[in-house]
Amino acid sequence: MKRQRVLSFFSLRQLWETPHFVFLTVMLLCGALAGSFTGLRSGQYEGALLEQLAGQMVAQIQDTSWKLAVRALLGAFVWQAAAILCGRIRVGSLFLSGLCAARGFLAAFSAAAFLAAFSWHGMALSLLTGGVSAVLTIPCLLLTSTACFLASQETGRHGNYWYALLRYRGAILGCIALSIIGGILRIPTMLLAVRMGF
């Protein structure tokens, strides 16, 4: 019995089998679709600005000090913290769906804009500077947002958001840990982009 409780404590299945997870995934995909179209359009007309932005990005990557590591970790952690705080707001479902849509928009916009401006060279730059870590951070954001969505709905019954969120503590802590790993993973891929001459 105890073993079963430990397994359910860390089980993510109770989150990804809910309609809330599907809804937030659709919101992320809608944001990604909008970001793709906007990025392709802006990449065609703002090539010079994107070239300057890519230069600044490479200059930041070459900064191998502790600031690069802190920025990468904060970038991964902030999305998780934002999901937890959005769930606390009275209309948490609205803010959580907006957060997932914004994450999808930003990820797709940067990839599409660099693709339109620099062809496959820009796509590789976008993949190395954020795409690889997004493979971990985006699903983690969806799972954390789902847990916060469910907790915000249960708040009406229990009267305390933090108490309701404790039910999903294993999944949330696991997602935060994986997001931090994704942030750490971003550092070597960014340095690889510099070595490859991007």
Side-chain angles (χ1 to χ4, degrees), residues 95-131:
F95 283 94
L96 285 166
S97 56
L99 182 74
C100 290
R103 182 66 178 104
F105 180 88
L106 291 174
F109 177 82
S110 62
F114 281 122
L115 176 65
F118 309 118
S119 187
W120 294 107
H121 185 269
M123 188 63 163
L125 177 64
S126 179
L127 182 68
L128 288 172
T129 56

Side-chain angles (χ1 to χ4, degrees), residues 1-2 35 71 73 78 84 101 110 126 130 142 145 186-188 194:
M1 184 73 171
K2 189 175 181 181
R71 276 195 294 258
L73 290 174
V78 163
I84 293 169
S110 62
S126 179
L142 284 171
S145 297
R186 192 173 177 202
I187 299 166
V194 172

Side-chain angles (χ1 to χ4, degrees), residues 131-154:
V132 174
S133 69
V135 171
L136 281 176
T137 57
I138 288 178
C140 286
L141 176 66
L142 284 171
L143 287 169
T144 301
S145 297
T146 303
C148 296
F149 198 125
L150 290 168
S152 69
Q153 285 191 329
E154 291 171 20

Side-chain angles (χ1 to χ4, degrees), residues 2-16 143 166-175 177-178:
K2 189 175 181 181
R3 187 178 175 188
Q4 201 172 20
R5 280 183 195 163
V6 171
L7 287 174
S8 66
F9 177 82
F10 291 104
S11 177
L12 300 175
R13 192 174 178 181
Q14 61 183 337
L15 293 175
W16 70 57
L143 287 169
L166 278 176
R167 181 177 172 203
Y168 309 104
R169 64 190 177 274
I172 292 172
L173 290 174
C175 288
L178 282 173

